[in-house]
């Protein structure tokens, strides 16, 4: 990953330069990956307590 691409990802996530003192490159990459997953509509089922107990 290049520096411009990293900074673009930060802008897309709304991360300020000041916030970057608290984050690692890996954390920003994970945040970006998870933000892309927010658009996925396949998570239609939510687990219940029964499901968790059975797990």
């Amino acid at each position: 990953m290049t520096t411009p691409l990293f900074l673009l990802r930060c802008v897309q996530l709304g991360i300020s330069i000041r916030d970057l003192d608290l984050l690692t490159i890996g954390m920003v990459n994970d945040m970006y990956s998870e933000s892309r997953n927010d658009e996925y509509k396949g998570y239609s089922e939510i687990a219940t307590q029964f499901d968790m107990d059975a797990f």
Side-chain angles (χ1 to χ4, degrees):
M1 174 181 287
T2 63
T3 302
L5 180 59
F6 176 75
L7 293 174
L8 174 64
R9 298 292 184 240
C10 292
V11 169
Q12 290 171 330
L13 291 169
I15 298 172
S16 68
I17 296 295
R18 180 176 290 177
D19 294 336
L20 287 178
D21 285 338
L22 306 172
L23 300 171
T24 65
I25 293 171
M27 292 171 84
V28 172
N29 285 334
D30 290 344
M31 291 168 63
Y32 182 76
S33 297
E34 289 301 321
S35 72
R36 300 296 103 190
N37 289 341
D38 291 344
E39 299 167 4
Y40 180 67
K41 302 297 182 208
Y43 302 123
S44 60
E45 215 174 295
I46 297 176
T48 64
Q49 186 61 47
F50 178 77
D51 295 328
M52 295 305 291
D53 293 340
F55 181 68

